[in-house]
Amino acid sequence: MSANTPNFPPDPWRLRETAPDPAAHFLNETLFALGNGYIGVRGTGEEGYSGPAGTSMDGTYLNGFYESEPIHYPETAYALAKTNQFMLNVPNAKGLRVYVGDERFDPLTGTVEDYERTLDLRTGMLERRLRWTSPGGRIIDYRSRRLVSFDNKHLLALQVQVTPVNFSGTVRIVASLDGAVKNLEAGDDPRVGSAVSGPALTLLAVEQDAHYAALVQKTHNSGFHLVSATRTHVDTAASATFLQQGLRLEQAYTVAAVQGQAIEATKYASYHSSRDYPEGELAERSRAVLAQAQADGFDALVARQAAYLADFWQQADVQIDGDDALQQGIRFNAYHLLQSVGRDGKTNIAAKGVTGEGYEGHYFWDTEIYIFPYFLYNKPEIARKLLDYRWAGLDSARRRARQMSHEQGALYPWRTIAGEECSAYFPAGTAQYHINADIAYSIKQYWDATGDIDWLRACGAEIVMETARIWTGIGSYDRKGRFVINEVTGPDEYTALVNNNYYTNAMARQHLEFAAAIAAKLAAEHPQDHARIAAAMALGDDEPAEWRRAAGAMYLPYDEELGIHEQDDSFLSKKRWDFENTPADKYPLLLNYHPMVIYRHQVCKQADVVLALLLLSDRFTLDDKRRDFDYYEAVTTHDSSLSSCIYSIVAAEVGYEDKAYDYFMETARMDLDDTHGNTRYGVHTAAMAGTWLGVAYGFGGMRVVDGAVRFAPTLPRQWRRYQFHIHLHGCLLRVAVDADGTTYTLLRGAALRFSHRDTVIDVSTAQPTHQEAA
Ligand code: BGC
């Protein structure tokens, strides 16, 4: 835990802060952030924050709404990424200030008692209650509630109640819509903020009256229009006025408050951009959404939010009996994934979701390898949307391939928002060609789990084949007839620009095989689709055979002496990093050593070969896995938050129970305990999904190979029982494990076949439950 870690009681369904904690303010803005996959609002109070500079980053983000800026390289080179895209901090619509007499409610002045702030994972509500005594001695009870609607992606709603405790008199409520916001500027940490300073949006128009406020703005370079709007209602208001101060619009309400009687202010806010609708419709749509929200009322929104979440938890809840703090972490992670994931086919899930500006709102391979399986097995309709996003980016990927001198095929960007490569540091960016295989891998998983042939015919097949071509483009046969892939970077970002990265080659092999199999399947079963796709990509008749040949000859480096897979051609001949003499404050290494210093050593930031052991599980023996694990564990820092969950899963498989548990625990409460020390810039969505992988793949021993699922559950001795769900082939299955054994229950769907270790099991509506003794 870091010094400023908040200490939340281990409540399985809630995050509850029981005393104001100024030291953890910045961090808590992230942890109490709300979102719905589109809007993200940090947990800052609606009254604003008056603490010292650098201890807060109030922000509101829209997934996929970005500005672009040229990347300035002091020394440039051909085909480096030219333009960065970054998620914008958009107008703050949640502002609501309360004045008692002439004193402004500010929890950092006066005194605060009976304080509680909760995020309830069953209702999706962020709630704060407190009693405040102003410096002048007026006492109020303050309660605020906030939600970002899962039902309507454009809508945010909040309600504040103020009750004068020891006085009657004037109370003023000032609601604001504040466009004077900017993005966080990046410092030396490449994982933080953007390179742009100052406001990024130009004001085009303002609309307001005593209850409604709207800012119409435009981005300079990406050319999007945005309408941010609010509608506020204060009951018992004697008068209402409005004013504009620069980019800040205010609606002010004066109330003759009576001691003991609550005043209630309700505010609805919406965001609409021209990424979704024609410019001309934005203002009208904003008014309509807000008018409808007001007509429905706050309580109706509260009820809908709870209903949405009840359904979500029914499908996706993971239960752990015996450890409330862990249970809290697991549900918190699932909840944040749901809050972060784009589900409109145009957006994806950023490394930090919509909770902060770390990594600038970019999407990475984190989606396909970590987060996609979470949604595939818990909410498959969202997984499909993540694939639709890649489909939408296929043409950009084709253009990128041409820039990179590939005459054919498509190369997906390492990091992006709208599809163009945004990675300014190519050794740990563009060079990670494995992104192509990662995307193909997720498509295979989707196909294996759903059998959705329509999507494969319409989109998936073309993505898989176009991206497969890149391997035959960059790879070649060496003197020994081996197919080699040179000058790439694998997942481990502490090793760059190497030949024959094991993970890349092994994943490329599977990708090539899959592409050839799909081509054959389409040709045989859907000749019209095959002809259409072949024409669209000018597919040569002999290409699938070439893919098969390359896959068959793929070089997969193995060191006979050590009996391990080599991370790449040079890794094992490098000097081992001097871990014994590296003080704790030199981690993460990336913040303390020049990249070249790191690259020249045997040291890993994250799972690389070990990740291949999981993803291509059936291609290795258990002994292989154990030896690889032992070797690479000793040289891995886990400086990337994507690492420990994978180590946990493979440890579970090779029988290292304690390590499996310890690595799992590192992942499960990573953000709640701020173990990487940077959660204030946003949650770690890949690690959050890694928690679920840890339960299902790790302790549950689940593997899906070519559509066949098997489980090999173990029960960590620290737990009494655990359970998780999976959606597969249109069915929903619950897997519950305790000391007596494993109980499988079919919750939805007609029938499902799977294996428990080597035993084949059938469940059906007639016989939905099956028990296997421990
Ligand atoms: C990791 C990458 C990851 C990125 C975004 C980096 O620290 O090394 O694998 O894609 O973070 O989460």
Side-chain angles (χ1 to χ4, degrees), residues 191 350-352 359 362-367 370 414-415 428 432 434 490-494 590 605-607 639-642 684-687:
R191 302 166 301 178
K352 308 285 179 186
Y359 287 127
H362 287 170
Y363 315 135
F364 294 76
W365 73 310
D366 305 32
T367 298
Y370 291 78
W414 176 245
R415 51 191 288 179
Q432 295 198 49
H434 65 85
D492 166 31
E493 294 190 349
Y494 282 175
L590 68 103
K605 183 182 182 189
Q606 61 205 102
D639 280 351
S640 162
S641 61
L642 280 65
H684 298 80
T685 53

Side-chain angles (χ1 to χ4, degrees), residues 16-209:
R16 198 156 59 88
E17 183 186 50
T18 50
D21 186 355
H25 180 85
F26 204 154
L27 171 62
N28 283 344
E29 285 180 333
T30 298
L31 299 179
F32 287 107
L34 294 184
N36 61 2
Y38 178 60
I39 302 175
V41 184
R42 283 175 61 85
T44 328
E46 49 286 335
E47 70 280 2
Y49 177 71
S50 62
T55 60
S56 165
M57 176 64 225
D58 195 0
T60 307
Y61 310 104
L62 303 178
N63 190 3
F65 184 75
Y66 66 93
E67 174 57 317
S68 45
E69 281 277 322
I71 302 174
H72 296 291
Y73 299 94
E75 195 175 332
T76 189
Y78 186 77
L80 294 186
K82 291 214 163 11
T83 315
N84 187 31
Q85 300 167 342
F86 60 96
M87 184 171 79
L88 281 171
N89 188 5
V90 297
N92 178 359
K94 68 179 178 302
L96 201 138
R97 287 182 183 165
V98 173
Y99 294 81
V100 290
D102 54 0
E103 295 179 286
R104 176 176 148 199
F105 165 65
D106 179 350
L108 295 186
T109 66
T111 51
V112 171
E113 293 161 281
D114 299 336
Y115 175 95
E116 188 180 71
R117 172 161 61 163
T118 41
L119 170 62
D120 190 321
L121 308 175
R122 279 163 306 191
T123 60
M125 185 75 71
L126 178 64
E127 179 164 2
R128 202 161 42 126
R129 290 167 186 271
L130 56 96
R131 172 165 286 196
W132 182 66
T133 305
S134 74
R138 293 183 185 87
I139 303 176
I140 56 168
D141 281 335
Y142 185 94
R143 179 189 185 206
S144 73
R145 293 186 294 160
R146 183 189 299 175
L147 63 85
V148 176
S149 171
F150 283 120
D151 212 45
N152 182 338
K153 80 169 196 176
H154 301 288
L155 186 64
L156 150 77
L158 60 108
Q159 191 167 71
V160 170
Q161 281 170 356
V162 181
T163 312
V165 175
N166 66 345
F167 69 98
S168 295
T170 303
V171 167
R172 269 192 333 125
I173 306 231
V174 179
S176 58
L177 174 62
D178 193 354
V181 295
K182 51 184 194 151
N183 279 70
L184 193 63
E185 280 174 58
D188 285 343
D189 186 340
R191 302 166 301 178
V192 176
S194 77
V196 163
S197 55
L201 289 157
T202 306
L203 185 65
L204 298 179
V206 161
E207 197 186 326
Q208 72 168 334
D209 61 28

Side-chain angles (χ1 to χ4, degrees), residues 244-371:
Q244 177 179 359
Q245 286 183 312
L247 286 170
R248 186 182 162 90
L249 310 183
E250 290 187 350
Q251 272 65 34
Y253 305 85
T254 307
V255 184
V258 178
Q259 185 173 351
Q261 286 183 16
I263 303 161
E264 190 173 85
T266 309
K267 188 176 185 189
Y268 304 100
S270 70
Y271 297 91
H272 289 82
S273 97
S274 60
R275 262 207 97 181
D276 288 328
Y277 308 105
E279 266 160 49
E281 291 180 15
L282 302 179
E284 189 48 43
R285 283 182 179 273
S286 307
R287 270 191 296 272
V289 163
L290 296 182
Q292 186 61 51
Q294 189 168 23
D296 294 347
F298 193 75
D299 291 343
L301 298 181
V302 172
R304 273 183 227 152
Q305 194 80 344
Y308 181 95
L309 285 167
D311 178 60
F312 171 69
W313 292 119
Q314 213 172 40
Q315 295 178 57
D317 191 29
V318 171
Q319 286 175 16
I320 309 279
D321 294 359
D323 188 338
D324 280 352
L326 176 61
Q327 177 70 77
Q328 181 181 43
I330 286 178
R331 290 209 176 107
F332 177 78
N333 292 348
Y335 182 76
H336 262 281
L337 288 169
L338 186 68
Q339 293 206 118
S340 300
V341 67
R343 51 199 81 160
D344 55 13
K346 276 184 264 184
T347 57
N348 202 277
I349 178 164
K352 308 285 179 186
V354 279
T355 62
E357 296 174 29
Y359 287 127
E360 302 172 89
H362 287 170
Y363 315 135
F364 294 76
W365 73 310
D366 305 32
T367 298
E368 278 74 21
I369 296 304
Y370 291 78
I371 302 164

Side-chain angles (χ1 to χ4, degrees), residues 658-670:
D658 289 340
K659 284 183 195 272
Y661 189 77
D662 293 347
Y663 281 121
F664 178 77
M665 292 303 281
E666 266 174 42
T667 302
R669 286 185 55 99
M670 186 179 286

